[in-house]
């Protein structure tokens, strides 16, 4: 049982991120890359993700303002976004990306717009939760891991 | 195609430290006996950072480039790799054409094609272009670890 209250809070937040389906196994893989040489690896990767993906979100928003929709272009943007989101383990965001792509393939503009709104919500929610998580992580200090040094 | 990855719903038990107790491949489980080198070709910076990170965690000396043209130039300059991980969608020169050109230069190393998702047609096209295996992003340890063990084993048997 973790005695340090900040560590306990961190564990609770982390478990909640998985239990609520925001994150998947990929996030655990990223955590395993974090070590003394790269103590902030996960936060750095997540920060880069939000920076990179903001551009794609903007591209999709602009593409959805142009009628008629270019579904091939929308699909291509979302393909890239899905790959990025998968790489940090953003489970709900990734799932909604798949829904959006299905609507692109069936040329359903209304569906695309609804799905995109939902995706932006999930994306923003995850960002908020991860920012809070990393803030506590920084205060709690480095966690000892069971990882064997290479 | 990449095998199905355990979903978040499969994590029913978290140990102390919050780590799932589900038995699975980990990039840190592999111990290489030989020096292996890899090239990651991915136009998305942080995806490339993650892919390079996984390979380094496996003990592989890894380089990365962000477009197909740079990959072709690097190979043409004489750089040799045991493994190339290449995204299907690349800026400047796409993943399919980059793979064809790398193979046309006589490169016989293992190549793993990655993409956010593969339709059957995309997967077949990438394999026909010359990759040996496919992995949906994120790069799957189930795909990568056996390949690295195989490459490591090839050196050991020489």
């Amino acid at each position: 049982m973790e005695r340090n209250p900040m560590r306990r809070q961190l564990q609770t937040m982390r478990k909640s991120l998985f239990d609520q389906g925001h994150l998947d196994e990929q996030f655990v893989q990223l955590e395993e890359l974090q070590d003394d040489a790269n103590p902030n690896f996960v936060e750095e990767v997540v920060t880069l993700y939000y920076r990179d993906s903001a551009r794609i979100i903007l591209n999709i928003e602009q593409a959805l303002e142009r009628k008629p929709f270019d579904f091939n272009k929308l699909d291509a943007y979302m393909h890239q976004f899905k790959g990025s989101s998968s790489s940090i383990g953003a489970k709900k965001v990734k799932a909604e990306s798949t829904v959006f792509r299905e609507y692109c393939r069936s040329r359903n503009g209304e569906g695309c717009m609804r799905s995109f709104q939902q995706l932006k919500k999930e994306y923003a929610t995850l960002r908020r939760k991860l920012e809070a998580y990393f803030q506590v992580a920084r205060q709690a200090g480095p966690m000892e891991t069971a990882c064997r040094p290479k | 195609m990449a095998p199905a990855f355990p979903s978040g719903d499969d994590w029913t038990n978290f140990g102390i430290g919050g780590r799932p107790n589900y038995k699975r491949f980990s990039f840190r489980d592999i111990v290489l006996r030989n020096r292996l080198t890899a090239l990651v070709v991915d136009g998305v910076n942080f995806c490339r950072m993650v892919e390079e990170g996984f390979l380094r965690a496996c003990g592989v000396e890894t380089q990365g480039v962000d477009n197909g043209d740079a990959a072709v130039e690097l190979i043409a300059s004489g750089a040799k790799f045991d493994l190339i991980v290449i995204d299907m969608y690349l800026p400047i020169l796409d993943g399919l054409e980059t793979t064809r050109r790398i193979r046309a230069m006589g490169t016989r190393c293992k190549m793993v094609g990655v993409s956010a998702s593969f339709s059957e047609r995309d997967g077949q096209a990438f394999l026909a272009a010359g990759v040996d295996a496919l992995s949906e992003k994120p790069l799957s340890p189930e795909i990568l670890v056996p390949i690295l063990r195989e490459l490591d084993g090839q050196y050991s048997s020489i």
Side-chain angles (χ1 to χ4, degrees):
Chain A
M1 172 70 169
E2 180 58 63
R3 291 203 171 91
N4 182 322
M6 290 240 84
R7 290 252 139 247
R8 273 207 308 277
Q9 184 186 358
L10 196 65
Q11 282 178 5
T12 303
M13 290 171 85
R14 186 179 177 282
K15 188 170 184 301
S16 161
L17 283 164
F18 284 98
D19 286 350
Q20 291 175 6
H22 292 291
L23 294 176
D24 64 25
E25 154 68 4
Q26 174 67 5
F27 193 81
V28 179
Q29 298 282 2
L30 293 182
E31 288 177 318
E32 293 196 347
L33 295 183
Q34 195 153 288
D35 56 19
D36 292 340
N38 299 285
N40 303 309
F41 181 78
V42 182
E43 188 174 357
E44 285 168 13
V45 166
V46 169
T47 302
L48 272 178
Y49 161 71
Y50 275 102
R51 194 181 309 163
D52 271 10
S53 57
R55 182 179 41 83
I56 308 175
I57 293 272
L58 185 61
N59 286 341
I60 297 172
E61 268 171 350
Q62 289 171 346
L64 287 172
E65 282 164 12
R66 287 191 283 272
K67 304 282 196 315
F69 288 153
D70 183 341
F71 287 107
N72 290 338
K73 187 174 269 187
L74 284 168
D75 188 52
Y77 284 140
M78 193 52 75
H79 175 97
Q80 192 182 342
F81 184 79
K82 185 185 170 188
S84 298
S85 304
S86 305
S87 297
I88 67 152
K91 189 178 176 187
K92 286 191 182 184
V93 173
K94 176 182 162 183
E96 200 58 48
S97 306
T98 302
V99 170
F100 183 94
R101 294 192 74 199
E102 293 297 328
Y103 283 127
C104 285
R105 283 174 197 146
S106 56
R107 299 307 197 237
N108 184 336
E110 286 291 327
C112 282
M113 291 182 65
R114 262 197 327 271
S115 173
F116 188 58
Q117 291 311 312
Q118 183 60 26
L119 183 143
K120 284 199 293 184
K121 256 176 41 184
E122 298 294 355
Y123 176 78
T125 298
L126 179 62
R127 181 179 203 155
R128 213 173 43 247
K129 287 180 182 283
L130 284 174
E131 278 173 357
Y133 175 76
F134 289 128
Q135 193 167 24
V136 173
R138 272 183 250 119
Q139 288 165 7
M143 187 153 50
E144 285 178 20
T145 67
C147 295
R148 185 181 61 228
K150 281 271 177 204
Chain B
M1 290 295 169
F5 218 96
S7 73
D9 295 336
D10 294 328
W11 308 124
T12 56
N13 189 16
F14 283 79
I16 291 178
R19 300 213 176 274
N21 293 330
Y22 185 95
K23 182 150 173 59
R24 54 167 172 72
F25 274 105
S26 166
F27 289 110
R28 291 200 178 270
D29 284 343
I30 183 170
V31 179
L32 297 176
R33 287 166 294 183
N34 299 284
R35 177 180 169 266
L36 293 183
T37 56
L39 174 66
V40 174
V41 192
D42 193 324
V44 181
N45 289 340
F46 91 91
C47 285
R48 195 174 63 253
M49 183 178 163
V50 169
E51 287 150 357
E52 287 183 53
F54 284 154
L55 284 163
R56 289 193 186 109
C58 293
V60 180
E61 283 180 30
T62 308
Q63 251 182 274
V65 292
D66 66 2
N67 69 81
D69 221 30
V72 170
E73 275 181 26
L74 192 55
I75 306 281
S77 72
K80 299 253 183 284
F81 301 97
D82 297 298
L83 173 68
I84 299 175
V85 174
I86 178 164
D87 191 357
M88 187 154 180
Y89 293 96
L90 293 171
I92 303 176
L93 193 65
D94 75 24
L96 293 181
E97 186 56 28
T98 303
T99 301
R100 282 188 210 108
R101 291 192 192 186
I102 288 173
R103 288 299 192 207
M105 286 192 280
T107 304
R108 291 286 161 262
C109 73
K110 211 71 155 174
M111 291 184 74
V112 176
V114 296
S115 181
S117 57
F118 283 111
S119 65
E120 189 162 339
R121 196 173 64 174
D122 283 349
Q124 292 301 328
F126 216 173
L127 289 166
V131 300
D132 299 293
L134 302 171
S135 176
E136 286 194 353
K137 283 187 180 185
L139 189 60
S140 155
E142 273 80 8
I143 298 279
L144 188 63
V145 168
I147 287 176
L148 292 178
R149 285 191 175 135
E150 183 195 330
L151 292 171
D152 196 31
Q154 281 172 5
Y155 275 114
S156 296
S157 66
I158 291 170

